[in-house]
Amino acid sequence: MAVVSAPSGAALVLVYQTGVSTSGSPITKQRTLNNIVYNASGQAVYDAAHAIFSLSEYTLLDVCFRRTDELTNEA
């Protein structure tokens, strides 16, 4: 039995800082942008994330490119 992997989607996950708590720790939020091109290069995704946040007042902390595959069992 062979398992076949097929691309089913991709998303860009952005983690950014919105402020500082009273104890001094950063307050973070996360935004997920779906329907990203599955085979986009890591550099292109990274550059797009930084371009988006160059228009924002918040500090971008992390950029994640999440790819999803559907696994099927072919007998």
Side-chain angles (χ1 to χ4, degrees):
M1 290 184 240
V3 174
V4 176
S5 174
S8 65
L12 175 59
V13 181
L14 306 168
V15 179
Y16 55 98
Q17 182 174 341
T18 60
V20 180
S21 70
T22 55
S23 64
S25 58
I27 299 170
T28 62
K29 290 191 177 184
Q30 175 177 303
R31 178 75 56 205
T32 301
L33 304 173
N34 295 307
N35 300 320
I36 304 298
V37 174
Y38 184 88
N39 60 353
S41 72
Q43 186 66 54
V45 172
Y46 183 85
D47 291 345
H50 281 275
I52 291 167
F53 266 82
S54 71
L55 305 172
S56 173
E57 64 184 278
Y58 301 120
T59 303
L60 182 60
L61 301 175
D62 290 314
V63 178
C64 299
F65 187 29
R66 184 177 17 180
R67 294 180 176 125
T68 305
D69 290 342
E70 182 178 348
L71 303 176
T72 56
N73 186 8
E74 292 194 358

